[in-house]
């Protein structure tokens, strides 16, 4: 199975995912296509396996970034920059593989949904550390992901490849700073409202 994924990856890189054929992969393995179907139900399943392997490697690198020492906001920024750099690098170096990932994302294949769910949890954990008092870290992470989609959504990454790296990275940093400032303001307001109590004034013991 792993060798089949390697061959499929090589063929996608050379020819594009649309020209990937299960029969060609089986022939290179020296087995019948029926035998290969014992491991992959169809071409889409084989493509999912290729995308899953790439996403697993990407997730490992992003997890390492999230675990690095340093202030929470710096780690969050490094994580977002790292994700964008990985996608831009793959789109340039291995465009056919990246197009396969784009296709899987457009159809929201289960392999992509699993990756998105995992990264959302990781993003929420970093946000909770970067913005103390955040009421709903997962909802905030989902909002942040949507707001930063221009720097991570597969097709938009391709559309912005001509933008110089330093320019788009500066834009990402500025956008993140604005979003975090807004989240901190909301968290502070929520904390003040909670301290004020139902009547809108701080409890006597807190004056």
């Amino acid at each position: 199975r792993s060798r089949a994924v390697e061959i499929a990856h090589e063929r996608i890189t050379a020819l594009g995912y649309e020209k990937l054929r299960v029969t060609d992969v089986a022939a290179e393995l020296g087995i019948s296509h029926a035998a290969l179907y014992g491991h992959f139900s169809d071409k889409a399943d084989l493509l999912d396996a290729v995308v899953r392997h790439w996403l697993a490697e990407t997730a490992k690198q992003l997890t390492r970034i999230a675990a690095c020492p340093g202030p929470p906001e710096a780690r969050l920024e490094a994580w977002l920059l790292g994700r964008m750099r990985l996608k831009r690098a793959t789109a340039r170096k291995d465009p056919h593989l990246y197009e396969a990932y784009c296709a899987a994302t457009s159809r929201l294949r289960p392999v992509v949904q699993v990756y998105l769910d995992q990264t959302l949890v990781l993003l929420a954990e970093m946000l909770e550390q970067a913005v103390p008092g955040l009421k709903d870290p997962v909802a905030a992470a989902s909002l942040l992901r949507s707001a930063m989609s221009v720097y991570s959504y597969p097709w938009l990454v391709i559309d912005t490849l001509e933008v110089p790296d330093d320019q788009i990275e500066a834009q990402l940093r500025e956008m993140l700073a604005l979003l975090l400032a807004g989240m901190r303001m909301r968290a502070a307001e929520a904390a003040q409202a909670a301290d004020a109590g139902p009547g809108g004034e701080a409890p006597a013991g807190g004056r």
Side-chain angles (χ1 to χ4, degrees):
R1 180 182 174 89
S2 60
R3 179 57 185 150
V5 173
E6 290 177 4
I7 293 172
H9 183 179
E10 292 167 0
R11 296 190 70 83
I12 288 173
T13 298
L15 304 172
Y17 76 96
E18 291 183 352
K19 294 183 179 179
L20 175 67
R21 298 200 310 172
V22 174
T23 52
D24 292 336
V25 175
E28 190 164 340
L29 283 170
I31 62 175
S32 68
H33 67 275
L36 188 58
Y37 277 127
H39 296 281
F40 304 97
S41 58
D42 52 23
K43 173 181 172 179
D45 192 25
L46 179 56
L47 177 61
D48 281 353
V50 174
V51 172
R52 183 180 296 108
H53 176 74
W54 179 68
L55 288 178
E57 292 302 312
T58 298
K60 287 179 183 178
Q61 296 184 57
L62 293 177
T63 299
R64 283 196 292 269
I65 293 173
C68 286
E73 184 171 345
R75 288 189 291 110
L76 177 58
E77 179 182 286
W79 190 89
L80 291 168
L81 285 170
R83 182 181 62 171
M84 182 177 69
R85 288 167 180 165
L86 285 169
K87 290 185 176 183
R88 285 168 68 87
T90 302
R92 287 167 173 158
K93 182 181 178 182
D94 199 344
H96 288 316
L97 173 63
Y98 194 75
E99 287 178 7
Y101 169 57
C102 288
T105 301
S106 296
R107 297 193 300 272
L108 201 58
R109 299 286 294 180
V111 62
V112 174
Q113 187 61 61
V114 168
Y115 168 77
L116 291 176
D117 291 343
Q118 291 173 341
T119 55
L120 183 64
V121 170
L122 189 58
L123 189 57
E125 291 174 353
M126 290 187 289
L127 260 182
E128 191 170 17
Q129 297 172 20
V131 185
L134 199 58
K135 184 177 180 180
D136 189 341
V138 174
S142 182
L143 177 65
L144 179 65
R145 184 169 65 181
S146 296
M148 304 290 279
S149 62
V150 67
Y151 308 110
S152 63
Y153 188 73
W155 290 113
L156 292 178
V157 169
I158 291 178
D159 289 343
T160 57
L161 280 180
E162 293 184 1
V163 179
D165 291 341
D166 57 347
Q167 180 178 330
I168 198 164
E169 289 185 9
Q171 293 173 359
L172 183 151
R173 289 188 177 95
E174 184 175 356
M175 175 69 77
L176 176 61
L178 289 171
L179 290 169
L180 290 179
M183 289 181 183
R184 290 190 179 110
M185 184 180 297
R186 290 290 298 274
E189 290 173 350
Q192 290 176 356
D195 289 342
E201 295 182 1
R207 292 179 181 176

